[in-house]
């Protein structure tokens, strides 16, 4: 189970505020790294998203030193990293929040298995949002027996 993750943002406070609204959670400053925020989903799993200023990189310390926060001024605006997040609000509410922030939000079908709303934070970072009705279909698809069938059908043999 993933309990928390971090994402980049050009305006970390605004992004944290929007994600708290979407998840019906809370946000607060993230003390270990000034200028960062964390969004608390307030669920039984302790789910949270840390929102760091764009360009922040986590690098290993030395010896017993904790992680270091460094800055890369030449970071890419895009990343292969994304997440899927179940949220308690409707597609219409998500679209309204996206429009208020001038961010892209579009409903997409993933190979007829389930739907997501591609929610592009600051039009650069992808979060696949799953309102309750989408989440049910996603969770049904992700059950071990379903995944086994999917993988068996998707397996390509090589000579």
């Amino acid at each position: 189970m993933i309990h928390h993750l971090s994402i980049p943002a050009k305006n970390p406070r605004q992004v944290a505020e929007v994600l708290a609204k979407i998840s019906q959670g809370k946000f607060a400053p993230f003390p270990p790294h000034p200028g960062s925020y964390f969004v608390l989903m307030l669920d039984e799993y302790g789910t949270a998203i840390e929102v760091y200023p764009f360009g922040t990189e986590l690098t290993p310390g030395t010896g017993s030193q904790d992680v270091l926060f460094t800055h890369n001024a030449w970071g890419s605006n895009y990343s292969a990293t994304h997440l899927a997040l179940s949220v308690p609000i409707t597609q219409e509410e998500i679209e309204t929040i996206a429009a208020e922030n001038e961010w892209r939000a579009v409903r997409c079908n993933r190979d007829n298995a389930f739907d997501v709303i591609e929610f592009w934070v600051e039009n650069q970072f992808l979060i696949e949002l799953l309102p309750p009705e989408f989440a049910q279909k996603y969770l049904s698809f992700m059950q071990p027996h379903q995944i086994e069938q999917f993988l068996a059908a998707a397996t390509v043999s090589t000579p």
Side-chain angles (χ1 to χ4, degrees):
M1 173 174 300
I2 296 173
H3 293 284
H4 73 264
L5 56 100
S6 59
I7 67 170
K10 292 183 178 173
N11 186 336
R13 181 184 170 90
Q14 177 195 12
V15 169
E17 192 171 344
V18 169
L19 294 178
K21 185 175 184 179
I22 285 174
S23 66
Q24 296 182 340
K26 302 280 183 194
F27 76 99
F30 184 66
H33 189 246
S36 300
Y37 291 83
F38 63 128
V39 181
L40 303 162
M41 305 302 162
L42 303 175
D43 62 16
E44 66 270 25
Y45 306 109
T47 308
I49 300 174
E50 298 168 8
V51 185
Y52 297 144
F54 181 79
T56 300
E57 293 181 345
L58 303 180
T59 57
T62 57
S64 62
Q65 185 180 34
D66 285 354
V67 63
L68 300 174
F69 295 94
T70 59
H71 183 76
N72 178 353
W74 296 280
S76 172
N77 285 331
Y78 302 100
S79 168
T81 304
H82 73 284
L83 66 127
L85 184 66
S86 291
V87 295
I89 64 174
T90 67
Q91 176 179 345
E92 293 75 24
E93 290 170 304
I94 291 167
E95 290 169 346
T96 298
I97 292 167
E100 290 169 354
N101 290 279
E102 298 180 0
W103 297 349
R104 177 178 167 82
V106 60
R107 182 177 182 156
C108 298
N109 182 274
R110 298 295 191 237
D111 297 323
N112 292 320
F114 56 87
D115 288 356
V116 300
I117 298 172
E118 287 189 359
F119 186 81
W120 287 88
V121 174
E122 297 181 322
N123 294 313
Q124 294 180 317
F125 186 85
L126 173 60
I127 299 179
E128 295 173 327
L129 296 179
L130 299 153
E133 66 276 11
F134 292 30
Q136 285 180 334
K137 195 166 182 185
Y138 173 85
L139 291 172
S140 175
F141 175 76
M142 293 302 288
Q143 294 304 304
H145 69 281
Q146 288 291 108
I147 290 297
E148 291 293 337
Q149 290 175 0
F150 174 78
L151 292 174
T155 302
V156 177
S157 29
T158 56

